Amino acid sequence: MDNIEIEKKWRVAHLPADLDTYDSIDMEQAYLNEHPTVRIRRENDTYFLTYKGISDNDVSHVEYNLPLTSEAFEHMLTKHDGRIIRKRRYIIPLDIEAEGVSLKAELDVFDAPFKPLVIVEVEFPSVAAAENFIPPEWFGEEVTHDKRFKNAVIAIDPSIDPSEML
């Protein structure tokens, strides 16, 4: 089925030494709804509205990304719930293939008020590929099923303290 996102997520044991050599994206995102997830996101100078369907396994869910103008993004930003997330995402090739797809890590380094939180995600071509994935040693504890590490929860739940998530 198209528009299915399959991903897993980890805390980071240690940052790659050559982090600054990888491509990165400055991101700003805010949530209009948590369940199902409706968010707006700026990736450098590109804007999206994203709908993520409700998942029963935390690994795969329906996802639609629709383009926005900067004006529409700014207008919707005034209507968000909770806190705005700002982060830098590094795109790190993993030299691992799954079902003919070269996997990459998306390493998110969060800005205040979520600093020093660092999370890494990997998207997969199938649930089987996700289940069989052996993460690199620099990945830490898997947190795919820990709701506290979902961006929507981090943004909307004021009781989440990133310093307690390290």
Side-chain angles (χ1 to χ4, degrees):
M1 178 179 193
D2 291 340
N3 297 328
I4 298 291
E5 180 183 60
I6 302 164
E7 68 181 1
K8 292 176 86 173
K9 173 180 295 206
W10 294 261
R11 295 201 276 195
V12 174
H14 60 86
L15 293 174
D18 56 351
L19 189 59
D20 290 336
T21 66
Y22 297 107
D23 290 338
S24 66
I25 302 166
D26 288 323
M27 303 174 92
E28 179 178 27
Q29 62 192 48
Y31 291 82
L32 306 175
N33 196 61
E34 179 184 353
H35 200 70
T37 301
V38 179
R39 83 165 175 238
I40 54 172
R41 176 185 277 172
R42 177 189 58 78
E43 297 180 2
N44 293 332
D45 296 323
T46 305
Y47 303 87
F48 301 96
L49 171 84
T50 300
Y51 168 88
K52 287 189 178 190
I54 298 169
S55 172
D56 59 355
N57 65 14
D58 295 325
V59 175
S60 65
H61 50 263
V62 173
E63 179 176 290
Y64 295 94
N65 288 301
L66 304 171
L68 290 175
T69 63
S70 61
E71 295 81 12
F73 175 84
E74 292 298 332
H75 174 74
M76 285 189 249
L77 192 59
T78 66
K79 301 172 184 327
H80 76 280
D81 292 337
R83 303 172 284 187
I84 296 171
I85 293 177
R86 291 178 182 89
K87 60 188 176 182
R88 173 161 288 170
R89 173 169 285 175
Y90 294 89
I91 311 301
I92 303 172
L94 292 177
D95 296 326
I96 300 170
E97 268 197 25
E99 300 172 13
V101 175
S102 296
L103 300 180
K104 61 184 181 259
E106 296 176 339
L107 176 72
D108 290 343
V109 178
F110 289 75
D111 291 341
F114 306 103
K115 194 174 185 173
L117 186 60
V118 180
I119 301 293
V120 63
E121 300 177 354
V122 177
E123 291 189 21
F124 299 93
S126 70
V127 172
E131 290 171 350
N132 293 321
F133 179 72
I134 299 171
E137 57 87 21
W138 63 271
F139 284 31
E141 172 192 8
E142 184 180 346
V143 294
T144 302
H145 303 290
D146 187 336
K147 303 283 188 219
R148 296 174 305 149
F149 291 89
K150 296 193 176 307
N151 283 315
V153 174
I154 292 169
I156 294 172
D157 185 343
S159 70
I160 298 289
D161 179 355
S163 67
E164 295 175 358
M165 299 165 67
L166 302 176

